[in-house]
Amino acid sequence: MKAKLPPRTVERLSIYRRLLDKYKDLDEAHIHSHKLAALLNLTPEQVRRDLMLIGLTGNHRKGYNISALIGLIGDTIDREESQKVALAGIGNLGKAVIGFIRKSNTRMNVVAAFDIDKNKVNTRLAGVPCYEISQAGKIIHDEQIRIAILTVPPEAAAETASLLLDSGIKGILNFTSVHLDVPPHIYLKDYDIITSLEEIGFFITD
Amino acid sequence: MKAKLPPRTVERLSIYRRLLDKYKDLDEAHIHSHKLAALLNLTPEQVRRDLMLIGLTGNHRKGYNISALIGLIGDTIDREESQKVALAGIGNLGKAVIGFIRKSNTRMNVVAAFDIDKNKVNTRLAGVPCYEISQAGKIIHDEQIRIAILTVPPEAAAETASLLLDSGIKGILNFTSVHLDVPPHIYLKDYDIITSLEEIGFFITD
DNA sequence: ATTCATCTGTTATTTTTTTCACATTGCAGC
DNA sequence: GCTGCAATGTGAAAAAAATAACAGATGAAT
Ligand SMILES: NC(=O)c1ccc[n+]([C@@H]2O[C@H](COP(=O)([O-])OP(=O)(O)OC[C@H]3O[C@@H](n4cnc5c(N)ncnc54)[C@H](O)[C@@H]3O)[C@@H](O)[C@H]2O)c1
Ligand SMILES: NC(=O)c1ccc[n+]([C@@H]2O[C@H](COP(=O)([O-])OP(=O)(O)OC[C@H]3O[C@@H](n4cnc5c(N)ncnc54)[C@H](O)[C@@H]3O)[C@@H](O)[C@H]2O)c1
């Protein structure tokens, strides 16, 4: 299991599942590659190849069975059980992110949030317990959390990241726009809205 | 001007500039391709190729002049003057995004925010005026805003997007996780944190 | 002034990703 | 039960992106 898949395919698989989760209750039990492609601005070939790579066989007439598809994507890209996620920095962005993940139907499970601000600790946010950042080491270790979301202010980014890594975090989603120097076995993903905006600005046509 | 550049290169150019903006005041006037690459987890060849594509010539011994680099990236990826951006949905995420863009040193300029909640309109957020969503059409048209950020609740996404497009918006950065059906000449960029997290979950190694 | 190590600029190569093309399959309708 | 249309599954081709390789440039050291 867990064959070597192209990163782009993994990304799209996650997107297929998110889209189809909304479809699975209503109307059809099956979907065609070209329908799925049209919904996501992809090509039908791309969709078929992705599904081929995970070994899903569609019906030549009816298309792909939606619940089989969702199930197999899960078997392919999810770990055994739901994965625990920690979040550091309960500001506007942190709150939005926690709320969003909680509302989404995903196996990513935010189980702890950390902040330095005493007013924010010992509360719950969308069901997630908030702790002092000083407790992060212990909690991440005890709960075996391996993924962290970093939404602290830029000044605190480097320091907080190294604390997280010392506690056993293996992957970081970094929103701080600060470059983090992480060892090669750590999976780091940066997201910066400015980059997205500038790309849009470059490619729009009047 | 504005040669046909690969999307990946445009993305990285934006990232180079954001990083180097922080460097330009202090220490060195020049930077080597391998230094820049190391700071961003890229290869030196990739950096050199990107800079070659925009016609930047480095000094064979000292590397690239940082201010020349910043200037040329601007000449390449920016439009004439700063670009106006509108934001719809002043919730937690919307507030975080406005604050972030305002603090960043970018030519992307958020000039209007819209919400349906009467308590939020006629205030200012990090200097950005907030209006009723019903005024969006007029303001976007009058101010000739062409880029919009969508941070309304999922239920309102489709409706708000079509309002924005009708008002003259050409590019949308969509955070709602709802699929938007836009005409082909509109540049749509979706961002979904769940996809990023699931990708991290798939690629981390224990 | 010359040597030399090091870095750039660019062509060539490899790898990755997407698209094409089409044989094969399954079902609806006759 | 055939027939034919409309899908899928997949090798092959093409395009895009990343990496390698190296000639030529430059300034530091002597
Ligand atoms: N990448 C993007 O697209 C994007 C968008 C918006 C914001 N951001 C960035 O995300 C971060 C958070 O933004 P925000 O608007 O939520 O800011 P915020 O100021 O509202 O929240 C920051 C939170 O971090 C807490 N904090 C401060 N130091 C800490 C520490 N050492 N350990 C733990 N918590 C600490 C603060 O108490 C606060 O609650 C900032 O770095 C901002 O630049 C990025
Ligand atoms: N993609 C991501 O990573 C990500 C992360 C967090 C949140 N989100 C999404 O972003 C959106 C906003 O999230 P949030 O946490 O800020 O939610 P929120 O509820 O705090 O804010 C939504 C805002 O939109 C306003 N609004 C509602 N209907 C509107 C309309 N028709 N026109 C204009 N404004 C309207 C509300 O008054 C509110 O101020 C949601 O769709 C959420 O799912 C996405």
Side-chain angles (χ1 to χ4, degrees):
Chain A
M1 178 108 322
K2 195 132 338 209
K4 186 162 48 64
L5 292 174
R8 296 297 180 80
T9 293
V10 174
E11 242 178 59
R12 283 191 298 264
L13 288 173
S14 167
I15 293 169
Y16 300 152
R17 174 168 60 178
R18 302 242 311 121
L19 179 72
L20 292 176
D21 256 348
K22 291 168 200 151
Y23 270 66
K24 70 162 185 285
D25 302 323
L26 29 104
D27 32 42
E28 307 297 322
H30 292 79
I31 191 165
H32 290 139
S33 59
H34 58 78
K35 176 84 186 294
L36 195 44
L39 285 169
L40 294 167
N41 304 314
L42 302 170
T43 65
E45 295 82 3
Q46 218 167 18
V47 171
R48 291 207 298 276
R49 182 166 299 276
D50 286 337
L51 299 185
M52 185 190 102
L53 287 173
I54 65 172
L56 181 64
T57 277
N59 179 303
H60 281 213
R61 191 76 185 179
K62 293 191 281 187
Y64 300 91
N65 179 292
I66 293 181
S67 49
L69 198 165
I70 292 173
L72 189 54
I73 290 177
D75 293 345
T76 308
I77 71 173
D78 292 334
R79 304 265 158 160
E80 330 65 52
E81 69 268 2
S82 78
Q83 290 202 75
K84 293 180 178 174
V85 177
L87 180 142
I90 315 171
N92 278 318
L93 182 60
K95 282 183 207 160
V97 166
I98 289 178
F100 179 72
I101 298 174
R102 275 293 167 138
K103 262 183 279 181
S104 309
N105 179 12
T106 170
R107 291 211 208 167
M108 292 290 153
N109 197 10
V110 185
V111 296
F114 302 102
D115 205 291
I116 205 171
D117 181 348
K118 291 247 176 9
N119 295 321
K120 292 183 179 163
V121 310
N122 295 324
T123 62
R124 279 185 169 261
L125 212 70
V128 178
C130 304
Y131 306 100
E132 257 249 36
I133 185 74
S134 59
Q135 293 188 263
K138 177 168 168 29
I139 291 168
I140 288 171
H141 181 267
D142 287 358
E143 296 232 28
Q144 303 215 358
I145 305 172
R146 286 187 305 201
I147 298 176
I149 302 171
L150 193 62
T151 52
V152 297
E155 316 81 72
E159 173 198 4
T160 308
S162 87
L163 167 64
L164 293 171
L165 294 180
D166 289 347
S167 315
I169 290 292
K170 303 292 183 201
I172 295 184
L173 178 53
N174 173 32
F175 283 100
T176 65
S177 85
V178 173
H179 166 73
L180 300 179
D181 217 349
V182 301
H185 61 281
I186 301 297
Y187 196 91
L188 171 67
K189 196 162 166 89
D190 294 302
Y191 180 70
D192 192 331
I193 203 179
I194 304 284
T195 302
S196 297
L197 282 179
E198 291 184 343
E199 188 186 330
I200 294 175
F202 182 78
F203 285 111
I204 56 176
T205 51
D206 307 300
Chain B
M1 178 108 320
K2 198 133 333 211
K4 186 161 51 59
L5 292 175
R8 297 298 181 79
T9 293
V10 175
E11 239 177 60
R12 283 191 299 264
L13 289 173
S14 167
I15 294 169
Y16 299 152
R17 175 168 60 178
R18 301 241 313 121
L19 178 73
L20 292 176
D21 257 348
K22 292 169 199 151
Y23 270 67
K24 70 163 186 287
D25 302 323
L26 29 104
D27 32 43
E28 305 299 320
H30 291 78
I31 192 166
H32 289 138
S33 59
H34 59 77
K35 176 83 186 294
L36 194 44
L39 285 169
L40 294 167
N41 303 315
L42 302 170
T43 64
E45 296 81 4
Q46 219 167 15
V47 171
R48 292 207 298 273
R49 177 170 299 280
D50 287 337
L51 299 184
M52 186 191 99
L53 288 173
I54 64 172
L56 181 64
T57 278
N59 179 303
H60 281 217
R61 190 73 186 183
K62 293 190 280 186
Y64 300 92
N65 179 292
I66 293 180
S67 50
L69 199 165
I70 292 173
L72 189 55
I73 290 178
D75 293 346
T76 308
I77 71 173
D78 292 332
R79 303 264 159 161
E80 330 66 50
E81 69 268 3
S82 79
Q83 290 202 77
K84 293 179 178 174
V85 177
L87 180 142
I90 314 172
N92 278 319
L93 182 59
K95 282 182 208 160
V97 166
I98 290 178
F100 180 71
I101 298 174
R102 276 292 167 139
K103 260 183 280 180
S104 308
N105 178 13
T106 170
R107 292 210 207 169
M108 292 291 153
N109 196 11
V110 185
V111 296
F114 302 102
D115 204 291
I116 205 171
D117 182 347
K118 290 246 179 7
N119 295 320
K120 291 182 179 164
V121 310
N122 295 324
T123 61
R124 282 183 168 261
L125 211 72
V128 178
C130 304
Y131 306 100
E132 257 249 37
I133 184 75
S134 57
Q135 293 187 264
K138 179 169 166 30
I139 292 169
I140 288 171
H141 181 267
D142 289 357
E143 295 230 28
Q144 304 216 355
I145 304 172
R146 287 187 307 202
I147 299 177
I149 303 171
L150 194 62
T151 53
V152 298
E155 317 80 73
E159 172 198 4
T160 309
S162 86
L163 167 64
L164 293 171
L165 295 180
D166 289 346
S167 314
I169 289 292
K170 303 291 183 203
I172 294 184
L173 178 52
N174 173 30
F175 284 100
T176 67
S177 84
V178 172
H179 167 73
L180 301 179
D181 217 348
V182 301
H185 60 281
I186 301 296
Y187 196 91
L188 172 67
K189 197 162 166 89
D190 294 302
Y191 180 69
D192 192 331
I193 202 177
I194 304 284
T195 303
S196 296
L197 281 179
E198 290 184 344
E199 188 187 330
I200 294 174
F202 182 79
F203 285 110
I204 55 175
T205 51
D206 307 301

